[in-house]
Amino acid sequence: MTYYDSLETRSPVEREAWLMARLPQQLALARRKSAYWRQRLADVAVNSIGSRAALATLPLLRKSKLGELQCAAPPFGGLTATPMTGLSRVFASPGPIYDPEGQGQDWWRFARALFAAGFRAGDLVHNTFSYHFTPAGFMLEGAAHKLGCPVFPAGVGQTDMQVQAIADLKPAAYVGTPSFLRTILEKADELGADVSSLRKAVVSGEALPATLRKLLNDRGVVVRQAYASADLGLIAYETPSEEGLVVEEDVLLEIVRPGTGDPVAEGEVGEVVVTSFNADYPLIRFATGDLSALLPGISPCGRTNVRIRGWLGRADQATKVKGMFVHPSQVAALVARHGEIGRARLVVDNPSGHDRMTLHCEVADPSAALQAAVVVSIRELTKLRGEVAFLPAGTLANDGTVIEDRRSYA
């Protein structure tokens, strides 16, 4: 069996129709059962939200705001649609941000990622994600059990004991961070232990540089990446083609311009925004703060869902200039005020030890009048003085950067 289920190979048109049919139903459920969404969607005709364009009219829910919401309405900011008595676990992420887990096996939908990485029933999985406070350990364990895989709950640290357990139990698969897998393999070399039973791995929680992937592959471990969050569960996963990450079937993903909720063109780097169809914890236009970009076409592996390039950095680029914060949303508002501007980037440096802001912007027809108007807008929108540098179209890198801090304090 090549695919986890038939959902993975549907035509893109069929999938999109399926998602759009579910979208108003999920909004209605959220408004009916969640105190937060009842207020947030009070004036929204949810039955009319049946397209991506309509969805884009709704405001973002930023991950960075969850702590504030939860403090105001503990424990979950009113976002859950299932009462505490209906949950199975509650976790804490740094902040703290509290994350619910509902009932049912593979609630976080990770089985699809494990299956794509070659995990099959009977494979013993060595799980080095934490089982303490955070949900990662349980995310992967639930998925493994869904596939019929037994799990060794190794958790983090204690590398010597990890090596001994692998040498004794001979697991076929590993889940955890890629750097810790490397640490385990190097410790096994040091101890003279045989850990060659490990043949496949799903890694997450940090970047996987090409050099590290090659090192692990050369040791006989085929590594696949998974992109997830403690709030949403699995978002996207790597397949044998290793060409981007395929989006999970049960989420609706957008890429938007940082500082706004506006979707960007295919291939342009922007912030990952996800709408989940989770009945316990409905997150609508949830802005993750991560940067990525949509890839064109369909994966060579045959899965037909959209793909993203993977994690490309953080969209939260707020920086403090002369004691005042400047946010990507302010840069977006400035660009929106002047239709002549294409792509723009606010560069902050400190020549001679003094902070300086310069808006680098692509324009087709630069003029002194436009420059003067933009300078005024910078002052009005940021309450700080700034300069303007006009550039030809296509000059600025397509990397999602809205505010670039080049200050040096050496």
Side-chain angles (χ1 to χ4, degrees):
M1 182 177 177
T2 305
Y3 305 109
Y4 180 69
D5 57 27
S6 61
L7 298 180
E8 296 181 355
T9 54
R10 292 176 289 178
S11 74
V13 172
E14 180 185 357
R15 178 182 293 105
E16 189 72 2
W18 180 73
L19 290 171
M20 292 306 117
R22 299 175 70 198
L23 185 54
Q25 299 172 13
Q26 181 69 354
L27 295 178
L29 177 147
R31 186 167 65 180
R32 186 171 67 252
K33 294 189 174 184
S34 156
Y36 175 86
W37 293 114
R38 188 174 304 120
Q39 180 180 15
R40 193 77 178 262
L41 299 174
D43 299 324
V44 175
V46 295
N47 289 334
S48 69
I49 309 297
S51 67
R52 288 181 181 267
L55 178 63
T57 65
L58 300 181
L60 300 180
L61 168 62
R62 295 200 172 277
K63 181 181 177 76
S64 58
K65 295 293 184 183
L66 284 186
E68 180 182 321
L69 291 173
Q70 292 185 355
C71 284
F76 303 117
L79 283 159
T80 51
T82 297
M84 184 70 79
T85 54
L87 301 177
S88 61
R89 297 183 181 91
V90 175
F91 300 98
S93 299
I97 293 173
Y98 295 105
D99 300 299
E101 179 186 2
Q103 304 283 344
Q105 197 175 56
D106 194 29
W107 187 83
W108 306 91
R109 311 174 322 280
F110 246 96
R112 192 178 301 280
L114 298 189
F115 190 89
F119 289 43
R120 296 295 184 269
D123 288 341
L124 177 60
V125 178
H126 191 85
N127 186 359
T128 68
F129 280 117
S130 175
Y131 283 77
H132 178 66
F133 272 71
T134 61
F138 290 96
M139 283 184 181
L140 276 298
E141 178 164 308
H145 289 167
K146 182 72 177 288
L147 296 179
C149 299
V151 175
F152 181 77
V156 297
Q158 298 178 303
T159 311
D160 287 19
M161 296 177 65
Q162 302 259 7
V163 170
Q164 181 179 345
I166 295 169
D168 292 344
L169 298 173
K170 303 195 181 322
Y174 166 96
V175 293
T177 64
S179 62
F180 191 51
L181 176 55
R182 176 179 183 171
T183 297
I184 287 174
L185 295 176
E186 290 175 344
K187 176 59 72 170
D189 291 343
E190 180 185 322
L191 298 175
D194 180 7
V195 294
S196 61
S197 64
L198 291 178
R199 288 295 182 216
K200 43 201 165 187
V202 168
V203 298
S204 191
E206 62 187 24
L208 177 63
T211 52
L212 180 53
R213 184 197 290 271
K214 184 178 186 306
L215 184 150
L216 298 173
N217 286 349
D218 289 347
R219 294 293 300 262
V221 185
V222 177
V223 180
R224 304 276 186 253
Q225 300 175 83
Y227 169 44
S229 79
D231 327 276
L232 295 160
L234 182 67
I235 300 171
Y237 60 99
E238 194 170 27
T239 72
S241 68
E242 296 184 3
E243 293 187 17
L245 305 183
V246 176
V247 172
E248 210 279 318
E249 295 293 329
D250 210 39
V251 301
L252 196 163
L253 182 140
E254 303 170 87
I255 303 291
V256 307
R257 185 163 289 105
T260 78
D262 302 331
V264 300
E266 183 181 89
E268 186 172 344
V269 176
E271 183 175 7
V272 176
V273 170
V274 176
T275 296
S276 78
F277 292 94
N278 189 312
D280 298 309
Y281 195 34
L283 296 174
I284 299 159
R285 300 208 82 202
F286 185 73
T288 63
D290 294 327
L291 292 174
S292 193
L294 292 174
L295 289 173
I298 291 173
S299 172
C301 73
R303 291 170 177 84
T304 56
N305 208 343
V306 296
R307 295 174 296 155
I308 58 175
R309 284 175 55 190
W311 186 82
L312 299 177
R314 292 292 294 170
D316 302 330
Q317 299 166 26
T319 191
K320 187 175 284 188
V321 181
K322 297 181 180 178
M324 295 184 65
F325 275 106
V326 181
H327 299 269
S329 58
Q330 292 169 295
V331 179
L334 196 155
V335 172
R337 182 180 286 190
H338 300 280
E340 303 93 331
I341 297 177
R343 188 175 289 156
R345 174 176 304 188
L346 187 69
V347 175
V348 183
D349 59 8
N350 59 345
S352 305
H354 299 288
D355 286 354
R356 177 178 65 179
M357 296 194 316
T358 305
L359 185 71
H360 293 235
C361 44
E362 298 177 355
V363 295
D365 186 18
S367 68
L370 177 59
Q371 184 173 29
V374 174
V375 167
V376 171
S377 293
I378 293 173
R379 178 70 172 176
E380 290 178 354
L381 292 169
T382 69
K383 311 306 179 189
L384 295 163
R385 296 185 185 278
E387 302 174 13
V388 178
F390 289 143
L391 305 168
T395 302
L396 294 174
N398 176 24
D399 57 7
T401 301
V402 177
I403 300 176
E404 181 181 355
D405 193 340
R406 296 181 182 173
R407 287 174 290 192
S408 173
Y409 300 98

